[in-house]
Structures are given as C-alpha cells and as structure tokens.
Amino acid sequence: MATMQDVETWRGRTVVDRDGDKVGTVEEIYLDRSSGEPEWIAVKTGMFGTRVSFVPIGDASSSGDDVRIGHEKSLVKDAPNVDADGELSPEEERRLYQHYGRTDYDQWNDASEDRTEGRPGGGDTVGRDVSGPTTDDAMTRSEEEVEVGTHRRETGRARLRKHVVTEQVETTVPVQREEVRIEREPITDANAGDALDGPEISEEEHEVTLHAEEPVVEKRTVPKERVRLDKDVHTSEETVSEDVRKERIEAEGDAGDRDRL
C-alpha cells in the first residue's frame, strides 16, 4: 500500500486505470484519520475536469509519470457523488467502499463510528446527513452547476514544401566571326618600295588566324522572395447543454404544509 512518502508528489499527475486508459488527474490525497496513512485519491474527471471521484488508494502505484490504479475507468466515473470538502464521513466512506466491492467495511471499521477520512490539514467538521450517526442540526442542500470551458484539439496541419521544376529559357545573343577577304591594290610610287623588296620571283605563304564567338551559358542562383505560413484566429459561438441535478428538501410531519425548499 502506498505510504505518505510515496504519494507526496502525486498531486497533479495523470491517473490511468489498470488498462492504461486515462481517468483524470490527482486533485488531493485523503488520509485515514486514525492511522494518518493515505486512504483515498480524489481524482478530477469529466471533460473539463470539473467532477471529483474518489478511488481507494489500495493498489495504486507510480507508473512512470502517471499514477496507475487497480480499477477500470468506468467504475471510477460511476462512483457515488461525494463532495471533495476536505474529509469523508463514515457514511460516505461506506458508500464508496460498497461501490468498489468491499463489503466488510463495518467489520474492520467497528473500532469507532467517529472515524472520518480527511486530506492533510483538513477540518474537524462532522456529518451532514441526518441518517448518519454523527450529524449536526442542519441539512446541506446542494446543486450542480455547469462550468463551461474550452478544450484545444488539433484539427489539421498545413505545411510548406519546396520542390524544383525545370523550364526552358530561350534568348537571342549576337555572336561575331571573322572571314577572310582578299584585297588587291595597284603598285604606286607609294608602295613600290615594299612591292619590290625581295627576290623578283619567289614562293611565299601568308597566314591569317580567324576567330568566331560562341554563346556561353552560365547559371547563378538568385533569391527572389520569402514565403511562410501564418495563422488567423476566427471566433464563433457554440451552444452547449448539460443536465444538472438539484437537491430538494421537504419538511414532513407537523411542518409538512410549509414551503418546499
């Protein structure tokens, strides 16, 4: 059975049932007032965590970052509705143990009918139920109230993906090439010296180098723009409905004709 040292860090941790399904989160640990040992786990359950269900700490144990209990999730959620007001009366504890299948409560609890279960630092208030052995002169009337919140869930994902496409670019570029042209000039007094320089009859060769331009293609990468994903938030209203229970108190006997509460 878990000790105080074991449960000191349990508050706020996720509670899973024996099959690993999430039940809720640990709201508080309730102690046996006689022995001071941990006896109950108060678990916040429900869609918005607004309901508290009590689970025997019995075979509960740490399981990684979770607290694993020995009961099914459905059994916990169907547990008797008990206010998490700091302590459990004997009658409340009896109802809870009967729900979880322990029928010998009166046998092992016959040491004292004043036994109550309380959280650390809880008050000393006694019963609220007139059918119990320890009660005051008043009855508490309670009502369920609806607390509506929002739960954030993932509805989809969007991503940017970059891929490469190839397209053909065509452009025109001017190119030059050299061609041989024969020029003839008559012998004149001005060029006679060059013309007559050398043997009268001989064989000669003159060579001219020709050039031509060719297109040369080079590619370079140029950044063009920045693209990112952003989100816009749109607010709408949705109507939710829920059944709530209210306690009614009726006077019987001599006070039977008075108003109903």
Side-chain angles (χ1 to χ4, degrees), residues 208-239:
V208 175
T209 301
L210 302 177
H211 299 87
E213 294 180 339
E214 295 179 351
V216 176
V217 178
E218 293 183 358
K219 294 185 290 186
R220 59 189 177 94
T221 301
V222 180
K224 294 296 185 180
E225 63 179 351
R226 298 278 291 168
V227 181
R228 65 172 57 86
L229 288 176
D230 203 354
K231 296 187 293 186
D232 295 325
V233 177
H234 299 275
T235 301
S236 61
E237 293 186 352
E238 295 187 8
T239 301

Side-chain angles (χ1 to χ4, degrees), residues 35-47:
S35 66
E37 293 298 323
E39 189 74 14
W40 296 93
I41 305 175
V43 183
K44 291 179 68 174
T45 61
M47 181 179 296

Side-chain angles (χ1 to χ4, degrees), residues 62-120:
S62 293
S63 177
D65 294 332
D66 301 331
V67 175
R68 184 180 294 271
I69 59 176
H71 301 281
E72 294 180 350
K73 178 179 180 178
S74 58
L75 185 65
V76 175
K77 292 198 171 183
D78 291 339
N81 189 20
V82 176
D83 291 334
D85 56 2
E87 62 185 356
L88 300 178
S89 68
E91 179 60 27
E92 289 172 331
E93 189 179 19
R94 178 181 291 105
R95 287 162 49 205
L96 286 169
Y97 268 124
Q98 287 175 346
H99 174 74
Y100 287 106
R102 184 165 188 170
T103 58
D104 61 343
Y105 175 84
D106 292 325
Q107 299 176 20
W108 63 267
N109 192 44
D110 60 3
S112 172
E113 281 294 337
D114 294 331
R115 166 192 172 121
T116 58
E117 303 294 333
R119 65 185 178 193

Side-chain angles (χ1 to χ4, degrees), residues 6-7 9-10 13 59-68:
D6 297 328
V7 304
T9 60
W10 284 12
R13 292 170 66 175
D59 52 359
S61 62
S62 293
S63 177
D65 294 332
D66 301 331
V67 175
R68 184 180 294 271

Side-chain angles (χ1 to χ4, degrees), residues 156-174:
R157 294 191 179 188
R159 63 174 58 88
L160 285 177
R161 178 176 294 169
K162 184 171 67 172
H163 60 277
V164 177
V165 297
T166 300
E167 62 181 17
Q168 192 173 56
V169 176
E170 187 175 295
T171 186
T172 302
V173 59

Side-chain angles (χ1 to χ4, degrees), residues 89 91-92 95 126-136 138-140:
S89 68
E91 179 60 27
E92 289 172 331
R95 287 162 49 205
V126 295
R128 304 185 316 280
D129 188 349
V130 296
S131 62
T134 56
T135 184
D136 52 22
M139 180 182 295
T140 299

Side-chain angles (χ1 to χ4, degrees), residues 184-205:
R184 300 174 184 274
E185 61 181 68
I187 303 299
T188 63
D189 293 339
N191 60 17
D194 294 333
L196 298 176
D197 184 19
E200 293 182 356
I201 301 297
S202 64
E203 293 182 356
E204 293 184 27
E205 288 184 3

